[in-house]
Amino acid sequence: MLYNSNGRIIWQSFDHPTDTLLPTQRLLTENQLISTASNSDHSSGIFTLRMQNDGNLIQYAISTTPVTPSNAYYASNTFGSEENVSLVFDSDAYLYLMNSTRVNMRNITDKGMIAGQLNSTLLMTSGPQGLCGLNGFCIQNDQEPACVCLPGFESVDKGNWTAGCERNFIADSCGKNNDSLKYTMEELPNTIWEDDSYFVLSTSDKEGCINACSDDCNCEAAFYKDGNYRKQRFPLRYGRRLLSDSSIALIKLYTSTPTVDENVPRKRNSKIQKDILIISVSLVSFASFMLVISVVVLCKSNSWVYKRINTRRSDDFELLGEEVALRSFTNEELERITNGFREEIGKGSFGTVYKGMILSSQRLVAVKRLEKVLEEGEREFQTETKAIGRTHHKNLVRLLGYCHGGTNRLLVYEYMCNGSLADMLFTPENKPCWEERLGIACGIARGILYLHEECETQIIHCDIKPQNILMDEYRCAKISDFGLAKLLKPDQTRTFTGIRGTRGRNVIWDLPEEESILEEWAYTCFECGELVSLVGSEEIDKRQLERMVKVAFWCIQEEPSMRPSMKKVLLMLEGIVDIPIPPSPEFFS
């Protein structure tokens, strides 16, 4: 059932029966029931019971006949009586025709016949047209209907009456004068068929009808009744035996195989073979020609690619070219992409970053020009290109290409339109909300976990800070700048790295003295249960805040063995594992 917003039924399947009527169910105007194929096969059968809009209830055999009044084999004959008439299966097991005011107009179950007997009774007492298909006719066997084929015909499908019958011989063409052709006329008494005759004439007896059809090559069946005869061609339709009718059907049967002019097929076969030979030779020639062209084009293409690679790859860069599937740019190409390195968007310890656009794809990129090429810049280029080129993760900035020509060392990255995390955190109008900050923290953790454990060559970044976390157009955090990356060999299980830069305290100068050292103030708030002081008036989930703070204290432990792995950090951030109480940061005192 379908209901509207007021709870009223606007459609229900009970108003649309398919092959069965249930007690109190109605067959409405312009609706129909379609019979099943059999008692065990519930696919659509060949009969339909239709409630017409003129008030007439009609039954048709729909498989081989058009739905027209002349082809109906049952009708209630209530047409024109009233509009909006429906068929109702009442609770007393009778079928009624009911008008729009729900008044019974007629009981069609015929004085006590229950509704379940309706279909079989109609089938026995009526002649459904098309039931036996083409060239077949209906007979009665012990009050049960059966289909029989015309003489000289066989059933197309023995399990399907409506498929009809087909010839079991090859008929000769009327255009040939074949004197060896012999045939007889076989009688089918008391059978009636659809009148589709092409010739009608009166004759005194049946023999005259037989002779007239025998002399006519086009005549394949003749019908004789009361001194009149009709000539027809196959197929014959709507046949049935009616013992009360004196009609006689005369079917022409061939008794000898027609002779065939052997020269015609031979000439035809010769022409077909010649055509096939011409087509085959043409196809083989075309295929050979295309193969030669393909080989030439492939050889020239490989030669051009080989020359291009050799001109751009120096001897010390061969191994890198095999390992990294990146695009190689020339310095001139990058000058065009960046419009002469005009728009500077960032500057780091190893070089400057410029904004550019690849014109062919209209894609924005960030081009990093490396400095100190002869010393640290060369080493950074090799490290970043090898490491980033083999990594692919949603929380890592993707390296698109490089320039390694002469003294020029440039890297081409995907462009991050929202800048760095530092830009967002320290810009009040762009500052992310609490839920976004949680997502950023988890995204960074996933990226570091990938670098530590999941990529082909494990990498320690060593320089994670807000300036090295870039934000894409969807404010998704991506780790950048592998300038200080240290590659781990697969057999390295424990690697300790020295502290980079000057170790000191995170001092916030514009706060009171007791709050100026962030780590000590945060731990004091944690011990006193006043973590909300860290976020001011912002509405947040206190349990999430406590989880974040506890993870942070575990990650800044001085002793490396006490720091959790990145996999465990991610599980703690997501709330999957419990977080023990972190120790006091005594090393800050």
Side-chain angles (χ1 to χ4, degrees):
M1 293 184 181
L2 291 179
Y3 297 87
N4 61 14
S5 58
N6 298 325
R8 298 184 60 184
I9 298 174
I10 58 176
W11 184 92
Q12 57 180 343
S13 59
F14 197 73
D15 291 336
H16 302 275
T18 54
D19 60 8
T20 305
L21 278 182
L22 299 176
T24 71
Q25 195 171 17
R26 303 168 61 192
L27 182 64
L28 301 177
T29 302
E30 289 299 318
N31 286 352
Q32 63 180 357
L33 295 179
I34 298 179
S35 66
T36 58
S38 66
N39 290 334
S40 57
D41 183 1
H42 292 279
S43 60
S44 295
I46 66 171
F47 300 107
T48 177
L49 183 65
R50 178 171 300 184
M51 190 69 247
Q52 299 185 160
N53 58 7
D54 61 358
N56 208 12
L57 181 67
I58 305 292
Q59 193 161 0
Y60 299 97
I62 60 174
S63 60
T64 58
T65 61
V67 180
T68 60
S70 61
N71 290 329
Y73 69 95
Y74 168 80
S76 63
N77 295 321
T78 53
F79 54 86
S81 57
E82 196 169 334
E83 294 183 353
N84 295 324
V85 177
S86 60
L87 175 65
V88 179
F89 182 16
D90 210 348
S91 58
D92 59 3
Y94 289 95
L95 287 169
Y96 298 97
L97 290 178
M98 182 181 294
N99 61 18
S100 57
T101 60
R102 305 186 68 84
V103 174
N104 291 337
M105 299 170 49
R106 182 174 176 182
N107 180 355
I108 65 170
T109 44
D110 194 19
K111 298 181 180 179
M113 182 189 302
I114 62 171
Q117 297 172 333
L118 177 62
N119 185 61
S120 60
T121 302
L122 292 175
L123 190 60
M124 289 189 297
T125 60
S126 306
Q129 295 182 351
L131 177 64
C132 294
L134 299 177
N135 301 315
F137 60 99
C138 183
I139 64 173
Q140 293 282 342
N141 281 335
D142 297 329
Q143 300 301 316
E144 290 293 331
C147 289
V148 180
C149 291
L150 289 172
F153 285 75
E154 294 179 350
S155 176
V156 174
D157 183 357
K158 295 186 182 299
N160 182 10
W161 290 359
T162 60
C165 305
E166 60 185 356
R167 300 177 195 258
N168 57 11
F169 62 90
I170 299 175
D172 200 16
S173 172
C174 285
K176 301 176 183 178
N177 295 321
N178 197 339
D179 296 333
S180 63
L181 189 62
K182 304 296 181 183
Y183 47 82
T184 61
M185 302 293 292
E186 184 164 338
E187 297 184 16
L188 290 177
N190 309 114
T191 56
I192 58 176
W193 301 81
E194 178 189 34
D195 185 1
D196 191 23
S197 56
Y198 67 88
F199 185 82
V200 180
L201 194 64
S202 298
T203 183
S204 58
D205 56 14
K206 180 178 62 176
E207 294 302 324
C209 179
I210 293 175
N211 293 333
C213 187
S214 299
D215 295 338
D216 186 353
C217 179
N218 289 307
C219 180
E220 294 177 312
F223 302 96
Y224 177 77
K225 181 180 180 181
D226 300 333
N228 294 318
Y229 79 90
R230 299 178 284 112
K231 295 179 183 179
Q232 285 192 206
R233 292 184 59 85
F234 294 136
L236 304 184
R237 298 199 306 173
Y238 309 157
R240 67 180 185 274
R241 177 170 292 169
L242 190 61
L243 298 179
S244 61
D245 195 288
S246 61
S247 297
I248 300 175
L250 302 166
I251 309 301
K252 183 183 285 188
L253 295 179
Y254 296 94
T255 58
S256 61
T257 304
T259 60
V260 180
D261 186 356
E262 296 180 356
N263 292 326
V264 175
R266 188 172 300 170
K267 292 179 181 178
R268 186 181 296 119
N269 291 338
S270 176
K271 185 178 185 305
I272 293 174
Q273 291 175 358
K274 185 178 180 180
D275 292 341
I276 293 176
L277 179 61
I278 293 174
I279 294 173
S280 301
V281 172
S282 301
L283 290 176
V284 171
S285 301
F286 179 75
S288 302
F289 178 71
M290 294 303 297
L291 180 62
V292 171
I293 292 179
S294 300
V295 171
V296 172
V297 171
L298 183 62
C299 292
K300 288 188 173 293
S301 175
N302 288 340
S303 175
W304 178 78
V305 172
Y306 180 75
K307 290 178 181 179
R308 184 177 180 184
I309 292 176
N310 282 345
T311 57
R312 293 189 178 181
R313 187 175 63 185
S314 58
D315 294 338
D316 62 342
F317 202 60
E318 286 189 11
L319 181 59
L320 178 62
E322 296 175 358
E323 292 179 344
V324 183
L326 303 172
R327 177 177 173 182
S328 176
F329 293 90
T330 64
N331 191 62
E332 292 75 14
E333 286 178 317
L334 294 183
E335 283 188 354
R336 289 195 300 270
I337 288 173
T338 60
N339 196 17
F341 299 98
R342 177 173 300 179
E343 185 176 353
E344 179 180 324
I345 58 175
K347 189 173 182 67
S349 58
F350 283 90
T352 307
V353 183
Y354 300 90
K355 182 179 179 180
M357 175 183 288
I358 300 177
L359 299 179
S360 59
S361 62
Q362 297 293 302
R363 181 175 186 175
L364 292 174
V365 294
V367 180
K368 182 176 183 181
R369 182 198 291 275
L370 302 179
E371 301 168 358
K372 304 178 184 179
V373 174
L374 297 179
E375 299 176 2
E376 296 178 357
E378 174 67 19
R379 189 182 311 112
E380 180 185 11
F381 176 79
Q382 296 284 352
T383 300
E384 290 207 38
T385 308
K386 289 181 181 179
I388 303 180
R390 289 193 299 267
T391 59
H392 185 74
H393 190 273
K394 66 176 292 185
N395 296 112
L396 299 181
V397 176
R398 184 182 175 189
L399 180 64
L400 304 176
Y402 59 88
C403 174
H404 186 267
T407 59
N408 294 308
R409 300 292 184 270
L410 299 101
L411 298 175
V412 181
Y413 293 94
E414 60 178 329
Y415 178 72
M416 300 286 104
C417 61
N418 278 319
S420 70
L421 179 59
D423 297 333
M424 296 181 65
L425 292 177
F426 301 115
T427 305
E429 62 273 11
N430 202 28
K431 183 177 179 180
C433 66
W434 172 254
E435 293 297 332
E436 285 185 299
R437 297 203 295 274
L438 289 181
I440 291 171
C442 290
I444 297 171
R446 293 188 187 98
I448 298 176
L449 173 62
Y450 173 82
L451 292 174
H452 284 189
E453 301 182 19
E454 297 174 0
C455 64
E456 179 182 350
T457 303
Q458 287 76 39
I459 300 170
I460 297 179
H461 191 290
C462 298
D463 197 20
I464 293 291
K465 56 186 177 181
Q467 289 78 5
N468 285 338
I469 306 299
L470 303 183
M471 310 300 293
D472 69 6
E473 58 183 322
Y474 304 109
R475 296 168 75 97
C476 175
K478 297 196 175 195
I479 301 171
S480 70
D481 197 350
F482 287 78
L484 298 178
K486 178 177 180 180
L487 307 183
L488 296 177
K489 295 180 181 179
D491 58 347
Q492 286 183 277
T493 58
R494 296 182 64 84
T495 301
F496 298 96
T497 59
I499 297 176
R500 307 302 173 96
T502 303
R503 194 181 83 180
R505 299 180 176 182
N506 292 310
V507 179
I508 305 175
W509 300 104
D510 58 350
L511 291 176
E513 182 178 353
E514 64 273 10
E515 299 179 8
S516 60
I517 302 177
L518 178 61
E519 293 86 349
E520 291 185 0
W521 175 45
Y523 198 85
T524 301
C525 293
F526 172 68
E527 287 183 316
C528 298
E530 298 177 356
L531 288 177
V532 291
S533 301
L534 300 175
V535 294
S537 60
E538 185 177 2
E539 295 274 340
I540 63 169
D541 188 319
K542 295 181 180 180
R543 290 178 299 178
Q544 290 181 340
L545 175 62
E546 182 180 357
R547 186 166 68 246
M548 298 299 113
V549 171
K550 289 164 70 175
V551 172
F553 281 127
W554 278 113
C555 290
I556 63 174
Q557 294 297 315
E558 177 74 8
E559 174 59 39
S561 61
M562 296 182 66
R563 302 175 204 152
S565 66
M566 283 311 304
K567 180 179 290 186
K568 191 169 184 180
V569 168
L570 182 59
L571 294 175
M572 290 190 295
L573 288 175
E574 293 176 341
I576 298 175
V577 299
D578 294 331
I579 308 174
I581 302 298
S584 174
E586 296 177 355
F587 53 87
F588 290 116
S589 52

